Amino acid sequence: MPVLDPQDPGQQGRAIISFDGVSKIFPSRKDSAEVKAVDNIDLVVPEGAIVGVIGKSGAGKSTLIRLINGLEQPTHGKVTVDGLDIGSLDEKALRQARRSIGMIFQHFNLLSSRTAFDNIALPLEIAGTPRKDIKGIVEPLLDMVGLADKRDRYPAELSGGQKQRVGIARALATKPKVLLSDEATSALDPETTAQIIALLKQINADLNLTILFITHEMSVVKKLAQRVAVMEGGQIIEQGTTYEIFSKPTHATTKRFVGEVTGGNVPEWLQSKLLADYAPGRQAVIRIAFTGADADEPVLSRLTRAYGVDFNIMHGQIEYVADHPFGTLIASVAAEPELQAKLIADLTATRNTVEHLGYVA
């Protein structure tokens, strides 16, 4: 299991969620083999952190989140939430544990016959909270999510973003220690997604509330997560801080995810022109991931002056990931193999990641 590092910005606290050798196997059916949805996972979610789990459909993300709230039981291993072994709890103890685990959903899951106020109050009613106390809990939550003026509106009268805000407030009603998010932004437009991300970050900061979210959108991970776990085939294939994953991905699947939002993927028009071998007159094509202080420095201009070569920028972008500068460029340069090696060595010496992609005529 990963060790908590006090210098890691996503690992300041104790582990509030942990997976220890967890597998979930669904038995075979009449015409199909058994399915190992989660395969020997070790994962630590520190208290107060925002952790994103990303993977394509079928990667095992939804099963992983259902193991946390006890909707699924592990076939092997142990899932611990706030010190409780979720798989060992009886039904009564599990109901109690779920009060400390809030959940928000992709499609909101609001009751159409209840107002915003009453949807938020629902988990309190189920928990047996006295009616006289419910108003004092629900109204501050409506304020927190910016819906004080929508308290008496029904879901049909609310926009998608407003419905999700109701869902978030409802998830916070029982004062959970953990908030789980199941693709909570994938049904929203980009502007509303940005607003929900900002709200979740504010809730995390104000309440020190641990958030674990699953998504297939790397753009959401980039803006929201402090730490990332990448899933494929039921396994976690790579994990680390968001900046580590974006700046130095090691697995091919992670590289594809990262490239979708950083400009690192080779565009089709260039892929079709790449040649494998050097020949006189061909230019080397390199992909450079600029990290740290060099991300917004004129590195290629310096190399042009130092080596007397010209770079042709073919693709890329520069932005901020987890509040740190990060840039990806794909460039070509007319240089023989010996000079190519010197250029790549110079670039990597300043913490950049460089990959030689091939040649173009």
Side-chain angles (χ1 to χ4, degrees), residues 245-265:
I245 294 298
F246 271 79
S247 62
K248 295 183 178 179
T250 59
H251 195 280
T253 297
T254 310
K255 290 179 180 179
R256 286 195 296 272
F257 272 126
V258 169
E260 289 173 2
V261 295
T262 62
N265 285 349

Side-chain angles (χ1 to χ4, degrees), residues 194-216:
Q195 294 169 357
I196 295 299
I197 288 172
L199 175 60
L200 291 173
K201 291 177 75 171
Q202 191 64 52
I203 288 169
N204 168 258
D206 291 347
L207 304 179
N208 193 39
L209 180 63
T210 306
I211 299 175
L212 185 144
F213 69 94
I214 63 172
T215 185
H216 64 276

Side-chain angles (χ1 to χ4, degrees), residues 8-10 50-52 213 218-229 239-249 254 258 320-324 326:
D8 183 334
I50 305 177
V51 176
F213 69 94
M218 204 64 176
S219 58
V220 174
V221 169
K222 180 185 72 172
K223 296 173 183 176
L224 181 57
Q226 298 165 346
R227 294 188 59 80
V228 187
Q239 61 179 305
T241 67
T242 304
Y243 194 71
E244 288 169 348
I245 294 298
F246 271 79
S247 62
K248 295 183 178 179
T254 310
V258 169
Y320 275 75
V321 174
D323 298 323
H324 296 285
F326 174 78

Side-chain angles (χ1 to χ4, degrees), residues 103-159:
M103 185 83 181
I104 53 178
F105 304 90
Q106 177 181 2
H107 296 297
F108 324 127
N109 287 16
L110 303 181
L111 296 180
S112 60
S113 61
R114 296 176 71 103
T115 64
F117 182 100
D118 290 334
N119 265 286
I120 298 168
L122 182 60
L124 298 170
E125 295 171 9
I126 294 172
T129 305
R131 189 68 190 176
K132 62 183 178 62
D133 297 334
I134 289 179
K135 181 178 179 182
I137 298 172
V138 173
E139 289 190 342
L141 289 172
L142 283 164
D143 283 333
M144 178 183 292
V145 300
L147 293 179
D149 61 335
K150 301 291 190 297
R151 72 186 305 280
D152 297 321
R153 297 292 181 87
Y154 290 90
E157 301 174 287
L158 301 174
S159 68

Side-chain angles (χ1 to χ4, degrees), residues 276-304:
D277 300 317
Y278 173 76
R282 292 181 179 177
Q283 295 191 353
V285 179
I286 56 176
R287 176 166 46 202
I288 314 160
F290 296 94
T291 61
D294 282 336
D296 49 11
E297 293 294 320
V299 176
L300 297 187
S301 296
R302 176 178 61 79
L303 293 179
T304 295

